[in-house]
């Protein structure tokens, strides 16, 4: 793991280099204008200082000058906006077929589970050169999952499922931090990310497997008898969940919603919010307080597995 002082963390993800380019652009532009302004400030302070017998002259408008100092900064900030927005959209849209990992933050540790069921704490083993999608939740307060070498950070918020993704480019060990003050031992809520060659990763992954999140979710789905309403047939009173993930569904009040991790969680917690068109409210019970974060993630994983052709929600804006 990197030691000592560095101005920038190592670049260990495909995104890191792109983000650093933008960051350098911001530094250079800000630095240039700071220097220019300080330089002119000093020149003018000396040149126009108060002297005996000198009276201020009346200044006239200069349209050309005003256009220059409006248009040039406008163009520069538009470049920053478009460039930044493009990177932001890239960073918030996981590609198809990404390796899925579930992470739950709690005071004061990170609990991770891989899609084959293998669990780890305060460590994250991932393969190099493959996209990894992390679905984040919190069991208590707000934490923030931060890997500086990948230039990614995402909050883990109680009651929400958030996702982040990255593609590690260099095998090695990197810092993992909690970047949101979350109580006494916040500073100890640290860990390491181990990026491995694919063969090593497969060996590590295969070493020990328990129940996969999808299997755990399927069990819960049966245990709570969800299928009695969600299965097609005479008794169906709720949407059939097959092939829904990643699609837009129409709502009873006229809008639409993307059927993603966040919506599945919302339906588990507040089933009467955002009722799909053609269905009634007050049928599904709330599971608020009855499910742990891991169980919610397992149910999400299972419901996602019912849509094998739709691995990832489509980005809604171009
Ligand atoms: Cu968790 Cu700070």
């Amino acid at each position: 793991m990197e030691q000592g002082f560095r101005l920038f963390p190592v670049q260990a993800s495909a995104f890191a280099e792109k983000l650093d380019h933008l960051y350098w652009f911001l530094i250079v532009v800000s630095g240039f204008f700071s220097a220019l302004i300080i330089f002119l400030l000093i020149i003018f302070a000396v040149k126009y200082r108060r002297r005996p017998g000198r009276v201020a002259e009346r200044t006239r408008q200069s349209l050309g000058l005003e256009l220059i100092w409006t248009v040039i900064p406008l163009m520069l900030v538009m470049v920053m906006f478009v460039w930044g927005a493009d990177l932001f959209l890239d960073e918030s849209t996981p590609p198809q077929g990404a390796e899925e990992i579930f992470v739950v933050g709690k005071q004061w540790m990170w609990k991770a589970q891989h899609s084959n069921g293998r669990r780890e704490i305060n460590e994250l083993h991932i393969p190099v050169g493959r996209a990894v999608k992390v679905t984040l939740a919190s069991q208590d307060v707000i934490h923030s999952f931060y890997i500086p070498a990948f230039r990614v950070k995402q909050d883990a918020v109680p009651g929400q499922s958030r996702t982040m993704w990255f593609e590690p480019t260099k095998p090695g060990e990197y810092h993992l931090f909690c970047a949101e003050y979350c109580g006494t031992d916040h500073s100890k809520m640290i860990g390491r990310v181990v990026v491995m060659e694919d063969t090593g990763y497969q060996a590590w992954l295969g070493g020990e497997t328990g129940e996969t999140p999808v299997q755990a979710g399927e069990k819960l789905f049966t245990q709570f008898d969800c299928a009695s309403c969600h299965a097609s047939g005479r008794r169906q009173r709720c949407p059939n969940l097959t092939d829904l993930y990643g699609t837009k569904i129409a709502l009873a009040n006229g809008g639409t919603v993307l059927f993603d991790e966040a919506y599945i969680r919302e339906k588990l917690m507040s089933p009467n919010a955002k009722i799909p068109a053609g269905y009634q409210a007050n049928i599904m019970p709330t599971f608020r307080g009855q499910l742990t974060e891991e169980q919610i993630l397992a149910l999400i994983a299972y419901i996602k597995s019912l849509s094998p052709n739709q691995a990832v929600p489509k980005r809604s804006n171009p």
Side-chain angles (χ1 to χ4, degrees), residues 6 19 29 32-33 121 138 224 226 259 282 311:
R6 303 177 59 109
L19 191 95
V29 170
F32 171 77
F33 280 99
I121 285 178
S138 166
F224 288 109
C226 307
F259 193 97
N282 301 317

Side-chain angles (χ1 to χ4, degrees), residues 120-233:
E120 50 186 336
I121 285 178
N122 290 342
E123 292 203 339
L124 192 66
H125 287 75
I126 44 178
V128 70
R130 292 237 308 271
V132 174
K133 178 182 172 189
V134 175
T135 303
L136 272 170
S138 166
Q139 215 166 295
D140 35 43
V141 298
I142 302 178
H143 304 275
S144 189
F145 194 75
Y146 179 33
I147 308 169
F150 296 171
R151 309 291 190 275
V152 289
K153 184 166 75 166
Q154 176 64 275
D155 285 355
V157 182
Q160 292 186 11
S161 292
R162 299 193 165 199
T163 58
M164 74 192 299
W165 81 276
F166 41 79
E167 188 187 316
T169 49
K170 281 186 201 136
E173 292 185 10
Y174 307 99
H175 287 294
L176 164 65
F177 293 119
C178 176
E180 180 79 44
Y181 180 71
C182 54
T184 314
D185 283 342
H186 157 71
S187 62
K188 293 180 191 154
M189 195 165 163
I190 54 177
R192 61 184 189 135
V193 176
V194 183
V195 178
M196 313 170 88
E197 296 290 351
D198 205 47
T199 45
Y201 175 70
Q202 295 303 340
W204 177 88
L205 205 57
E208 168 205 322
T209 53
E211 194 176 46
T212 70
V214 172
Q215 288 164 346
E218 186 173 11
K219 248 189 210 167
L220 288 164
F221 202 80
T222 313
Q223 180 189 332
F224 288 109
D225 208 14
C226 307
S228 71
C229 294
H230 282 287
S232 301

Side-chain angles (χ1 to χ4, degrees), residues 24 35 39 122 136 164 182 214 239 241 288 291 294:
W24 275 114
F39 175 73
N122 290 342
L136 272 170
M164 74 192 299
C182 54
V214 172
L241 301 173
R288 192 183 289 277
L291 296 171
E294 266 119 352

Side-chain angles (χ1 to χ4, degrees), residues 60-101:
R60 274 166 290 115
Q61 276 186 349
S62 167
L63 183 64
L65 204 56
E66 287 189 24
L67 279 176
I68 286 173
W69 73 45
T70 307
V71 172
I72 291 177
L74 178 72
M75 287 187 331
L76 282 170
V77 294
M78 285 313 286
V79 168
M80 292 172 191
F81 168 69
V82 173
W83 191 348
D86 183 55
L87 283 184
F88 177 79
L89 287 174
D90 180 24
E91 199 198 8
S92 41
T93 314
Q96 296 264 351
E99 183 85 11
E100 295 258 2
I101 298 177

